Amino acid sequence: MATLEKFSDIFDRAAERKGGAKALGLLMPQTLDADEIGQFTDAQLLSAMSKQVFQSGFVWRVVENKWPAYEEAFFNFEPFKVLMLSPDQIQERATDATLIRHQKKTQSIVDNAYMVQQLAAEHGSFAEFIANWPEDDITGLWQVLKKKGSRLGGNTGPYFLRTVGKDTFLLTNDVQSYLKANKVVDAGFTSQTALRQAQAAFNHWQQESGLSQAQISRIISLGVGDNRV
């Protein structure tokens, strides 16, 4: 691994760009502890996951406005009820004008309900599975979601985890640019090598700073490029 920049320098650069440490602090994402995450129901997590899948590459506001209709159409996202839908019923929902007409994303709700149910059976609940996953291997959790789930690759799985309060960094365009420019990562970001290198860097910065990985990635993004969060 390349010699990592001191996190204090990364922080100072972001603070300067955003109007000081106090102003920067107001932009930090919030995370939940394991007990708090463990309180989510499997239905709540399937809903949040499904919403993130639909928001990927789409106008988030439109998805948000339509989500009450999704809750009704998919039985409040109770996994066992979703899995009782017949192929014809799934097709009806994929072409319903009150929802979003997208066959593959609609099917992903069912596929991910199966994943949620399977992992819940193994770990007591899907929430417990997420809550107890070690944060120093968060990219490993990304890979489980991608492999076992549907349409959860790229940043979709990590954004879902961020939404439900799991501490995770995000490989946004600005964060990727920083990691590449500073030779922290020397492989494509879809590769296992790059994920291991990024994880090692974030683990190092977390030990150095005492901040969450979510906060660290937000600070990196605010200190470079377009200041995207």
Side-chain angles (χ1 to χ4, degrees):
M1 181 190 296
T3 300
L4 295 178
E5 184 180 13
K6 290 182 179 179
F7 191 75
S8 58
D9 293 338
I10 298 173
F11 181 92
D12 289 345
R13 182 167 56 247
E16 182 178 0
R17 296 185 77 178
K18 303 312 293 184
K22 184 176 181 179
L24 181 62
L26 296 175
L27 299 174
M28 291 301 99
Q30 300 300 311
T31 57
L32 302 178
D33 63 29
D35 288 341
E36 290 171 318
I37 294 173
Q39 297 304 307
F40 286 116
T41 66
D42 291 345
Q44 287 174 319
L45 293 178
L46 179 59
S47 176
M49 180 188 301
S50 301
K51 183 188 288 187
Q52 194 61 60
V53 168
F54 275 89
Q55 286 177 329
S56 179
F58 202 73
V59 179
W60 286 36
R61 176 175 49 80
V62 173
V63 177
E64 190 70 41
N65 290 339
K66 286 182 175 287
W67 212 247
Y70 272 93
E71 294 281 354
E72 182 177 354
F74 288 91
F75 315 109
N76 294 314
F77 288 92
E78 292 289 348
F80 74 95
K81 292 182 180 179
V82 171
L83 290 172
M84 293 177 66
L85 288 168
S86 69
D88 286 345
Q89 289 173 316
I90 297 168
Q91 181 61 32
E92 287 173 4
R93 286 157 174 77
T95 56
D96 188 338
T98 66
L99 304 176
I100 295 170
R101 296 174 178 174
H102 198 298
Q103 180 70 43
K104 291 182 178 179
K105 288 189 176 186
T106 302
Q107 179 63 45
S108 76
I109 296 174
V110 181
D111 296 339
N112 287 329
Y114 178 77
M115 174 187 68
V116 167
Q117 191 172 73
Q118 290 297 106
L119 289 172
E122 295 173 17
H123 299 274
S125 73
F126 185 56
E128 289 296 326
F129 168 73
I130 292 175
N132 295 322
W133 190 277
E135 290 164 2
D136 62 358
D137 180 34
I138 199 66
T139 57
L141 181 53
W142 298 359
Q143 293 303 296
V144 171
L145 294 176
K146 178 182 178 180
K147 181 178 179 180
K148 292 183 176 290
S150 174
R151 304 185 75 86
L152 295 173
N155 269 328
T156 304
Y159 270 114
F160 155 66
L161 294 173
R162 176 71 68 82
T163 298
V164 300
K166 182 68 174 178
D167 186 18
T168 180
F169 61 90
L170 297 175
L171 292 175
T172 62
N173 289 338
D174 284 335
V175 172
Q176 288 188 32
S177 295
Y178 173 87
L179 296 178
K180 276 289 192 182
N182 288 273
K183 298 182 172 56
V184 177
V185 169
D186 59 11
F189 282 96
T190 58
S191 71
Q192 293 294 316
T193 296
L195 293 180
R196 284 194 299 269
Q197 291 172 336
Q199 183 73 74
F202 275 89
N203 290 347
H204 175 88
W205 285 320
Q206 186 170 36
Q207 292 175 2
E208 179 186 343
S209 68
L211 299 174
S212 69
Q213 297 198 16
Q215 291 172 325
I216 291 167
S217 68
R218 177 67 59 84
I219 290 166
I220 290 173
S221 71
L222 292 173
V224 299
D226 296 324
N227 276 287
R228 297 194 180 114
V229 297

